[in-house]
Amino acid sequence: MQNKKSKFLAFIFSFFPGAGHMYLGFMKIGISFMAEFLFVVFLANILNIGSLLYIALLIWCYAFFDCLNKCNLREEEFLNIKDRYLLNADDMLKFDNNILKKRRLFVGIVILILGCYALWNTFMNTLSQFIPQEIYEVIFNVSRIVPRIVISAAIIIIGIKLIIGKKRESDSDE
C-alpha cells in the first residue's frame, strides 16, 4: 500500500466517516468508522434521542482528522500502519472476564435508562392527544431537562472519580 493518493480526494472523501480511510486503502478501519457512525445515527433515530448524535459528531471528527493525519504521514510511517478493525472480535475475547463483571451493573443501568427514555418518548407522543396542550408542554419540557441533568451529574461523578484516582495514584508514587 502506497501513499500516492490525492490529498484533495482524501480530504473530500473524509467528510463521510470511513470513506477517506477506504480511499487511502485502509478498508477495515474505514468500515469500522462507517459502522460506528451509522449505528449511532440509527440508534439516535430509533430511540428518538437526539443527544446521541453528539457521539456521532465525535466519531465524525475523529475519523475526519485521523484520515487527514494518515494522508500527511511520511511514506515509511504510512506503510507501518496496520489496517485492522477498530473493534476486533479477537481483542474483545481477550478482555478479562472480571472487567465485564465489574461493569455489568453500569452497562445494565445505561441500557435500562435508554430503554425507559425511549418508552417515555413513545408514551408522551401518545399522551399528547388526550391531555390539554398546556399540561403536555409542561410535562414535555420537564422530560427534556431530566436527561440533561442525569448526563451532567454522570459527567461530574466520572470527573470526580478520575481526579480521586489520579490523586491516589500520585500519592502512592511518593
Side-chain angles (χ1 to χ4, degrees):
M1 178 170 40
Q2 293 183 346
N3 192 6
K4 301 289 183 193
K5 302 286 184 167
S6 164
K7 290 182 180 184
F8 176 74
L9 286 177
F11 173 76
I12 296 299
F13 283 126
S14 66
F15 278 99
F16 190 81
H21 290 88
M22 290 177 161
Y23 173 73
L24 292 176
F26 300 107
M27 294 299 179
K28 292 177 181 177
I29 294 173
I31 287 172
S32 295
F33 277 124
M34 259 187 209
E36 288 174 6
F37 178 77
L38 293 174
F39 177 74
V40 170
V41 170
F42 170 76
L43 197 62
N45 186 31
I46 290 297
L47 296 177
N48 197 21
I49 304 175
S51 309
L52 284 178
L53 293 177
Y54 290 115
I55 296 172
L57 178 63
L58 182 67
I59 293 169
W60 181 89
C61 289
Y62 184 83
F64 181 81
F65 289 108
D66 185 60
C67 178
L68 295 182
N69 286 334
K70 282 181 174 43
C71 186
N72 290 314
L73 289 174
R74 293 188 322 251
E75 190 71 31
E76 60 273 1
E77 292 173 329
F78 185 83
L79 293 173
N80 287 332
I81 298 173
K82 293 182 180 177
D83 185 24
R84 45 181 272 156
Y85 294 108
L86 298 178
L87 294 174
N88 191 333
D90 293 335
D91 292 340
M92 293 163 87
L93 293 175
K94 290 179 187 174
F95 278 144
D96 184 14
N97 288 335
N98 292 331
I99 291 174
L100 295 176
K101 289 178 184 175
K102 291 177 187 176
R103 304 292 184 233
R104 180 179 294 162
L105 178 63
F106 175 74
V107 172
I109 290 171
V110 168
I111 291 172
L112 180 65
I113 290 171
L114 286 174
C116 289
Y117 188 74
L119 187 63
W120 177 256
N121 282 337
T122 304
F123 176 71
M124 284 301 296
N125 289 336
T126 305
L127 188 64
S128 68
Q129 301 168 5
F130 301 109
I131 63 173
Q133 187 64 27
E134 297 82 21
I135 296 173
Y136 172 77
E137 287 179 15
V138 169
I139 295 171
F140 180 75
N141 288 333
V142 169
S143 70
R144 287 188 58 194
I145 293 171
V146 170
R148 291 180 187 167
I149 293 170
V150 169
I151 290 172
S152 299
I155 290 170
I156 291 169
I157 291 169
I158 291 169
I160 290 170
K161 284 189 169 207
L162 289 173
I163 291 170
I164 290 172
K166 186 66 175 175
K167 185 172 176 5
R168 286 183 186 160
E169 185 179 297
S170 64
D171 289 344
S172 66
D173 290 342
E174 293 175 359

